[in-house]
Structures are given as structure tokens and as C-alpha cells.
Amino acid sequence: MRSSVLSLAIAASIALASAPVLADAPKCEPEKVAEKYPELAGKTLLMGADGQTPPYAYLDSKTNTLVGSDIDLAKKVFDCIGVKYEIRPAAWSGLFPAVVAGQMDLMYYLYYNQKRAQQGDFIVYMKAGTGALTQKGNPKNIKSQDDLCGKTVAVGLGSVEEAQMKELGGKCVAAGKETVNVMTYSDHAAGFRLIANNRADIMLTDLALVDRTVVDNPTVYERAYGIIGSFQIGVAVKKGNKPLEDAILEGLKAVQASGGEQEVFKKYGVDPALELPAELKTN
């Protein structure tokens, strides 16, 4: 009997020793910032955010401060890393150029693509969907992208949607239809006005932003359609800023592992299924 018990114990020890060793889950270690990232210790990081993009970033009328899912997630990551920070409002069209020029350290919520990755580095953390915002009642009866030939479509200047609509316009002409009249806006507030004033038939932008805008203005706007795509959204930093991008990547991984990103998404009505494992993309 004693021999059998001993054999089982030895077998269990061998099995335990041969089992794969799981890597420790990422964790927040703000007290080690000077050790891990000496270039960031004592520095105040400057983050830009467009305060016209609920639920991601918008101005709280009671506190006159920026709030939203981007803001909360960024703060969690900064606190996780252990760095000081300032979050400053700025127009959407100027955010990425400011990061590229080194006038700001980073921005959240920018669609990653290879063209942009030639100018900056990205730490992706969520997937994206595109929503089509129209006037209440959908007067042009737009149900999908197939209905956009001959329509006036508002898109963000330099956005993925701008390129898509220009390409679609060419396809419309090739099919013997009217082209897509592409109208650009510099920030989301300007885009919303184009729809509200009937200057554009559709505004294409982030799906959650469209849904939030409809909820806040149910007598003015309506969602014509929505598409869940394969686009990835990330934090943009200046090209080659390795200390910062490594720190943000580590912080995002730790916040995701703790359930912090899911918590933020649920708080602001962003679909938790849009979370994407944090990954650095430099090309």
C-alpha cells in the first residue's frame, strides 16, 4: 500500500514538472516606472482628445472636464504605468498631425492602417464598426452602402471612410450611376451639423458614436445602417518612440487582463465584444 502511494506521488510530481509553465498575467506596477521606463519617469505625458466624440470623449457640463471611454481607459493605463499626464481637448483633424510632429505624446481612438503607420506607431486595443447617420425618418430611404450612388456623404477629412467613398464613387460611375458626392468635415460636430441642416444625406463615422448621437438627439437623427468591420483602433504615438509605446502596450495589456477595459466599455455603452488584445503595430 505504501509503495502504491509513493508511486502515485512520484507520478504526480513528474506530471507537474512536465506541465507547461504559464506566463504571469500582465499586471500594473506603477512603482517601477523609473526602473522600467526611466525616460518617462517624472515626465508629464500630453494626450489630445476631441471632446465632440461621445461616448469616447466629451465635455461634462457639470464639471467642465473631458469624460468618456477613451478618457477613462487612458487614465487607467497611465495609472497602471505610473506616469503623470495631462489630457487636453483639441480638434479631431489636428490630433494625429500633432502626435506625428511631437507636439502631443499620444492620442486614443485612431483607426490603424498601413498608410498612417508610416507616420506613427499604433497600439491597437479594439475593433471598430461604421455607422451611417441620417436625418430623422431617413428621407432618402438609405438602407445600405448600395444606396449611396448619387447621394451626398459626409466623412471625416483624411478618414478611412473618405477613401472608401471616393472608391465607391468610381464604381458607381462605372456602373452607369451618379457618383458619390463626398463632403469632408474637420470634426464630428461639423459633420453632425451637415446632417441636421440637410446639407448631406449621410454621415459615416464610428458606429458607437452614431448610436450615442441618436440616443441624445432622437428627434433630429436616425441610424440608417451599421457595419461591423475588420478595422482596428489604437493609441497613436510618434514613430519610433519606443519607451512610450512599450509602456502603453504593457499598461493596456495589464488593464485588459484585470477586466478594466471591459468595465469602461460597459460604463459608456460600448459593446464589450469590440475589445481586441493589445498589440503594437509599426507598419
Side-chain angles (χ1 to χ4, degrees), residues 176-193:
K177 302 178 182 179
E178 291 185 54
T179 189
V180 176
N181 179 23
V182 180
M183 185 177 288
T184 60
Y185 55 82
S186 58
D187 57 55
H188 290 93
F192 295 146
R193 288 194 295 271

Side-chain angles (χ1 to χ4, degrees), residues 2-12:
R2 183 177 179 181
S3 176
S4 299
V5 172
L6 182 59
S7 297
L8 288 172
I10 293 173

Side-chain angles (χ1 to χ4, degrees), residues 46-47 95-96 99-100 104-111 116 119-125 233-239 244-245 248:
L46 178 59
M47 169 181 158
L95 285 174
F96 189 49
V99 170
V100 171
M104 288 185 176
D105 293 300
L106 71 155
M107 66 174 292
Y108 268 67
Y109 204 88
L110 185 64
Y111 280 39
R116 282 177 174 162
Q119 297 179 282
D121 292 335
F122 287 74
I123 304 94
V124 296
Y125 61 91
I233 294 170
V235 181
V237 302
K238 186 176 181 179
K239 194 76 179 170
L244 179 57
E245 62 193 28
I248 296 295

Side-chain angles (χ1 to χ4, degrees), residues 82-83 99 115 127 146 156 189 201 215 219 228 252-254 269 280:
V83 294
V99 170
K115 183 177 180 180
K127 295 174 284 187
D146 295 337
D201 301 311
V215 168
T219 62
I228 300 297
L252 270 168
K253 284 183 175 180
L280 174 64

Side-chain angles (χ1 to χ4, degrees), residues 109 111 127-131 161 205-208 226-229 231 233 274:
Y109 204 88
Y111 280 39
K127 295 174 284 187
T130 299
E161 290 83 9
T205 188
D206 177 81
L207 181 58
I227 302 172
I228 300 297
F231 294 117
I233 294 170
L274 294 178

